[in-house]
Amino acid sequence: MRNPDLLLAADWHLRSTIPICRKDDFLKEQKRKVDFILQQSRLYQCPILVAGDIGDNPQWKNWLLEKYIKKFNAHRQKVYVLPGQHDLPNHRLDKLSESGLGVLIASKVIYSLVNQRWFDEKFKISAFPFGEKINVPNYKKENKEVAVIHQLVSQSKLWEGQQNFTSAKSLLAKFPCYDLIVSGDNHQSFVEEHKGKLLVNPGSLMRTAIAQKNFKPKVYLWYAESNRIIEVFIPINKDVFKPKEEIIELEDENTMKFIQTIRKDYDINISFNKNMERCLDKNPELHKRVKNRIYKAMEG
């Protein structure tokens, strides 16, 4: 069998902190899963495509950057990354160079898909980072066409009354010019097919919430000529989550810690948003759910 042309992945959310719900050696597991993906890439001699949010936070700790610069530098197959909102300071694409992802790109250990199309003898890739909507390519189609996007796409509504819902099937129907669409942001894994065209949403790499207790992370191998995919499950350990009652107690404690930090460090000479950003930077251990609520309020 011929080697696949791409290994499809998304939402790695590499981080230096341990999720509040985990009781195992999370950072060791994170490294093991990345090593597994790199191993698959070497085995099949194909590049890796990450559809956004390779990092959990725009700013990486120096030791985390050093670790993954060395790891990606030693990997002979190329790694292509599309920026997601978690990769971008203030969710702004023009701030990419100020981020951890920007450092990885500048170090030339991974490659950015921003403002460029990747041409291969078998396919072309059009990239649409976070904040950019997918559109029709403005050149003549010759080989397989691939779109990589970072926006919330799902097969059905994720919750009752969900707004701005983008259906995978409707996206394929709207853009039949693409043989393959690879989407990031939705942490579920699924494949949608419509009239021979595919949408692959690889899902997240790490289980950072107890709701993902039964989730099985995976990557996909894509064969351009036949436009088919094969899923590859990433090995996981089962007993890695704290009891739910303990998580709730720690979340309440975390929220109080954040409130105390605001009271102590609030600076009346700078804006509310700046104060929030500074407090979040000083408290990297805050649970992601608390941070998301704060960011959502700030954006509103």
Side-chain angles (χ1 to χ4, degrees):
M1 181 183 292
R2 299 178 64 178
N3 285 333
D5 296 281
L6 287 174
L7 186 154
L8 310 177
D11 294 286
W12 290 10
H13 289 274
L14 300 179
R15 56 192 285 170
S16 57
T17 57
I18 300 170
I20 199 169
C21 62
R22 297 285 290 248
K23 66 179 183 179
D24 61 330
D25 190 337
F26 178 83
L27 297 180
K28 181 179 178 181
E29 282 301 293
Q30 179 174 261
K31 173 185 175 296
R32 186 180 65 79
K33 287 182 172 62
V34 172
D35 286 340
F36 176 84
I37 294 175
L38 297 181
Q39 181 186 31
Q40 295 299 303
S41 173
R42 286 192 296 269
L43 175 65
Y44 293 106
Q45 297 179 27
C46 65
I48 298 169
L49 183 62
V50 183
D53 286 350
I54 193 171
D56 191 58
N57 191 291
Q59 307 304 328
W60 292 36
K61 294 289 187 181
N62 287 343
W63 66 262
L64 189 69
L65 273 173
E66 180 185 20
K67 180 176 184 175
Y68 283 96
I69 285 174
K70 288 180 177 178
K71 188 176 294 295
F72 291 136
N73 189 49
H75 183 62
R76 296 191 176 184
Q77 299 296 329
K78 290 185 176 181
V79 180
Y80 293 87
V81 178
L82 182 80
Q85 70 268 37
H86 285 265
D87 298 315
L88 301 171
N90 300 323
H91 297 179
R92 288 174 50 181
L93 188 59
D94 63 333
K95 297 284 187 180
L96 176 59
S97 62
E98 301 174 19
S99 67
L101 173 57
V103 173
L104 292 171
I105 293 167
S107 301
K108 297 183 178 180
V109 296
I110 63 174
Y111 297 86
S112 170
L113 288 173
V114 177
N115 298 326
Q116 61 183 9
R117 287 192 170 89
W118 175 15
F119 294 87
D120 185 271
E121 62 180 11
K122 296 180 184 177
F123 57 87
K124 297 174 185 174
I125 291 183
S126 297
F128 304 95
F130 173 76
E132 293 187 11
K133 297 296 184 183
I134 184 174
N135 56 45
V136 178
N138 58 1
Y139 53 83
K140 183 180 178 181
K141 179 174 179 177
E142 296 177 357
N143 301 309
K144 289 292 190 295
E145 291 287 348
V146 180
V148 188
I149 65 176
H150 193 83
Q151 66 181 80
L152 190 61
V153 179
S154 54
Q155 292 177 300
S156 59
K157 287 190 176 184
L158 299 175
W159 62 87
E160 183 97 17
Q162 181 185 1
Q163 300 297 316
N164 303 319
F165 168 64
T166 302
S167 158
K169 192 174 286 291
S170 67
L171 205 60
L172 287 169
K174 186 176 180 180
F175 297 99
C177 51
Y178 293 112
D179 301 280
L180 171 70
I181 299 175
V182 187
S183 59
D185 197 29
N186 185 346
H187 287 190
Q188 298 178 358
S189 300
F190 64 86
V191 176
E192 187 68 67
E193 187 271 339
H194 180 71
K195 295 184 177 180
K197 314 293 184 176
L198 297 176
L199 186 145
V200 177
N201 191 91
S204 60
L205 175 65
M206 302 299 297
R207 295 175 296 162
T208 57
I210 199 166
Q212 285 190 303
K213 183 176 181 179
N214 298 318
F215 176 70
K216 297 179 180 179
K218 64 184 76 170
V219 293
Y220 294 85
L221 305 174
W222 178 64
Y223 296 81
E225 189 172 329
S226 58
N227 195 33
R228 69 185 182 93
I229 54 107
I230 295 176
E231 62 182 12
V232 178
F233 286 94
I234 301 171
I236 59 173
N237 294 321
K238 291 185 178 180
D239 187 23
V240 299
F241 291 99
K242 295 174 183 174
K244 193 170 183 179
E245 298 75 17
E246 183 180 342
I247 296 170
I248 293 172
E249 184 178 339
L250 287 170
E251 283 182 344
D252 291 340
E253 181 183 329
N254 228 328
T255 304
M256 287 306 301
K257 186 187 297 183
F258 179 72
I259 292 170
Q260 290 166 4
T261 303
I262 294 175
R263 288 173 176 168
K264 180 180 178 182
D265 294 339
Y266 197 91
D267 185 347
I268 62 172
N269 295 313
I270 61 177
S271 70
F272 174 81
N273 281 17
K274 288 293 183 184
N275 270 295
M276 291 299 101
E277 289 168 10
R278 190 173 69 172
C279 289
L280 290 170
D281 288 341
K282 287 185 176 182
N283 292 272
E285 75 283 359
L286 275 176
H287 189 254
K288 188 174 179 180
R289 189 180 303 170
V290 177
K291 286 188 175 183
N292 286 343
R293 288 174 182 170
I294 294 167
Y295 280 126
K296 185 175 181 180
M298 287 166 60
E299 289 172 354

